[in-house]
Amino acid sequence: DVKVTQSSRYLVKRTGEKVFLECVQDMDHENMFWYRQDPGLGLRLIYFSYDVKMKEKGDIPEGYSVSREKKERFSLILESASTNQTSMYLCASDPSGQLLRSYNSPLHFGNGTRLTVT
Amino acid sequence: EDQVTQSPEALRLQEGESSSLNCSYTVSGLRGLFWYRQDPGKGPEFLFTLYSAGEEKEKERLKATLTKKESFLHITAPKPEDSATYLCAVHDLTDSWGKLQFGAGTQVVVTP
C-alpha cells in the first residue's frame, strides 16, 4: 500500500511565523501535490511537483512556496503565516509523471495537517 | 472554467435506508471522474474512477454511475460504518497537467 506521511497532525503558529509542512511518500511516485481543505470550498490545489526540483502553481499559490529536493519529499512553506491560512492541509501523490494525458491514476492522500494561525 | 457541484451538502440516513448522492460537473472534456471517501481526521481514500457515460462501478454497498453531465453515488442499505464525507473530482482532458477539480463533498451520517 502507498503511504503518504505528513509530519504533523496539528500545528499552532503565530501570525508572521515561517511555517514548514512536510510530506513524504514511500512509493517512488513522480507527482506530489499540496491541497488545502476548507468547509464548503472542497479541496483546492496550492502547488504540485512532477519531478525533483520541478514545481507548478495550482489554483491558490499566493502566500505559499514549495520545495522538492528529493523525490519522496515535498514541503509546503508559508513564508509569513496569516490567519486566513488557517486550514486543513493535505498532501497527495500519484505515479503518473509527466505523461498525464495517457495515465489516469487516483491520488493517494496523507492524513492531513490541521494548521491554526493565531 | 471547470466546475464540480455536489448535492446535498449533508445527508442523514437510517441504517438500511438507501439513497443517492449527486455530483454535477462542467468540463471541456472529461478524462475521468473520481469518487473518494473521507473519514473525520483522515485524508480522502479512493473509491472509483469512471471514464465514460453509461459506465458503472460497484464496491460493497456503493455504486457509482456516470452520465455526460453528472455522476451518482448510490448507497444501498447503508450501515453506520458508511458514515463519511464523499468527494467527487474531475480530470479535464484539456488540462495538460491533469489537475483534479474537487467538489465540496456530501457529509453522510448513518444512524443505527
Side-chain angles (χ1 to χ4, degrees), chain B residues 18-90:
Chain B
S18 300
S19 189
S20 296
L21 315 181
N22 177 264
C23 172
S24 62
Y25 62 90
T26 306
V27 293
S28 301
L30 184 68
R31 180 71 172 176
L33 185 143
F34 298 81
W35 281 98
Y36 288 84
R37 170 196 169 117
Q38 186 174 22
D39 293 305
K42 295 200 169 182
E45 179 185 335
F46 170 72
L47 291 173
F48 306 110
T49 310
L50 301 165
Y51 296 100
S52 57
E55 189 175 1
E56 298 181 353
K57 294 260 177 87
E58 282 189 72
K59 181 178 181 178
E60 295 180 358
R61 294 174 293 282
L62 300 178
K63 179 179 175 180
T65 61
L66 182 65
T67 72
K68 287 187 176 179
K69 292 193 181 298
E70 56 193 351
S71 176
F72 292 94
L73 184 66
H74 307 279
I75 310 178
T76 302
K79 297 183 177 182
E81 52 262 44
D82 294 321
S83 297
T85 296
Y86 292 88
L87 304 170
C88 79
V90 297

Side-chain angles (χ1 to χ4, degrees), chain A residues 13-19 78-83 85 117-118:
Chain A
K13 298 292 181 181
R14 293 198 179 273
T15 302
E17 279 193 76
K18 189 169 186 175
V19 181
L78 288 65
E79 295 289 342
S80 177
S82 63
T83 55
Q85 293 178 310
V117 182
T118 61

Side-chain angles (χ1 to χ4, degrees), chain B residues 84-104:
Chain B
T85 296
Y86 292 88
L87 304 170
C88 79
V90 297
H91 175 172
D92 189 333
L93 186 63
T94 62
D95 184 325
S96 58
W97 292 111
K99 301 191 298 291
L100 295 185
Q101 292 292 331
F102 280 85

